[in-house]
Amino acid sequence: AEGPLPGDAYAAPRPAAPFAELARRAPGRLRIGLLTALPDGPETHPECAEAARAAALLCERLGHHVAETTAPYRPDDVGRTSGVLMGADLVAQIDARLALLGRPLADDDIEPFTRVLYDTYRALTAADVSRALRRAQEIGWRVGAAFAAYDVLLTPTLARPTPRLGVLDTADPESVHRHASDYSAFTSVHNVTGMPAMSVPFGHDGAGLPLGVQFAAPLGGEGTLLALASQLEGAAPWGSPPGL
């Protein structure tokens, strides 16, 4: 079943049809905003930016209108907000599990990086969470306003190509803390706003590892994304040179 459950406090618009059916529909001519850089964010690796631009060219060939635009959010602002909200939920879930088990947290219960987050966010206050919820809504308003001009936003999925093993190892909290936000700069905003986004495979980096591009839509826009994904898959099946 799709759509909200009875009594849901928050709900996106109900889909016009089952997702499988929406994926078979033509997306129509979409207005697509292209983003390859973020204000005061990590520098986008050229290969990741080029994948997004190649996807934009393909979208134009498919009849969509593409225009470059600027990001309506700052990644550091998003990171602080999502950190509080996700950290508060992490603490609540772990504490609930420990209450069910009837014992304190053991050293080997969770991964080292998760333990750092748990110890950090246990000190949150109700006011901290309230401020983060308010800021998340403000970010959502800013991102939502961008969809007055565009049906879809197109970005690289990650700002960096695939890292070497160990760079994002949760057994090394310092490395994760130092690098993770550079990779997630384009994606984490949708965790905060709840707006749907999808990653589409699109080409490879210089090492032969896959790259992706991200398409995002306003609340309730899953059908648009699924229809576009199906169209892109038909035009450039995974494994073919991008843009062909």
Side-chain angles (χ1 to χ4, degrees), residues 45 47-48 157-170 175-176 178-184 205 207 209-211:
H45 190 281
E47 291 179 321
C48 299
T157 300
L158 301 180
R160 301 275 191 274
T162 305
R164 289 183 174 274
L165 289 174
V167 172
L168 300 178
D169 185 355
T170 54
S175 184
V176 176
R178 188 165 61 252
H179 298 292
S181 61
D182 287 349
Y183 286 90
S184 63
D205 64 20
L209 296 172
L211 293 170

Side-chain angles (χ1 to χ4, degrees), residues 38-207:
L38 294 170
D40 298 321
E43 183 178 355
T44 307
H45 190 281
E47 291 179 321
C48 299
E50 180 54 34
R53 284 191 285 265
L57 288 174
L58 175 58
C59 288
E60 287 183 330
R61 293 182 191 128
L62 291 171
H64 304 297
H65 174 73
V66 181
E68 291 200 37
T69 187
T70 55
Y73 67 91
R74 294 168 54 94
D76 56 344
D77 187 20
V78 170
R80 285 190 299 269
T81 303
S82 63
V84 170
L85 297 178
M86 297 174 72
D89 188 63
L90 172 74
V91 171
Q93 290 195 50
I94 291 175
D95 284 351
R97 179 60 178 166
L98 293 174
L100 186 64
L101 295 173
R103 63 169 177 81
L105 187 66
D107 289 341
D108 61 350
D109 276 337
I110 53 180
E111 294 180 325
F113 183 63
T114 306
R115 182 58 186 259
V116 169
L117 295 177
Y118 179 75
D119 291 340
T120 298
Y121 289 112
R122 286 181 68 190
L124 286 173
T125 67
D128 292 329
V129 176
S130 179
R131 281 189 289 267
L133 287 169
R134 185 179 300 113
R135 188 59 187 148
Q137 178 60 86
E138 291 167 352
I139 293 169
W141 284 330
R142 292 179 63 86
V143 176
F147 290 111
Y150 301 104
D151 302 302
V152 171
L153 294 177
L154 165 61
T155 74
T157 300
L158 301 180
R160 301 275 191 274
T162 305
R164 289 183 174 274
L165 289 174
V167 172
L168 300 178
D169 185 355
T170 54
D172 183 357
E174 175 58 31
S175 184
V176 176
H177 177 74
R178 188 165 61 252
H179 298 292
S181 61
D182 287 349
Y183 286 90
S184 63
F186 287 104
T187 58
S188 59
V189 67
H190 303 297
N191 290 333
V192 170
T193 67
M195 295 175 189
M198 66 178 184
S199 179
V200 176
F202 211 84
H204 299 79
D205 64 20

Side-chain angles (χ1 to χ4, degrees), residues 1-45:
E2 72 280 345
L5 296 174
D8 275 351
Y10 303 97
R14 183 180 295 274
F19 286 155
E21 179 182 332
L22 293 174
R24 291 191 292 268
R25 294 183 181 180
R29 187 172 188 265
L30 300 175
R31 301 168 301 163
I32 299 176
L34 172 64
L35 283 169
T36 59
L38 294 170
D40 298 321
E43 183 178 355
T44 307
H45 190 281

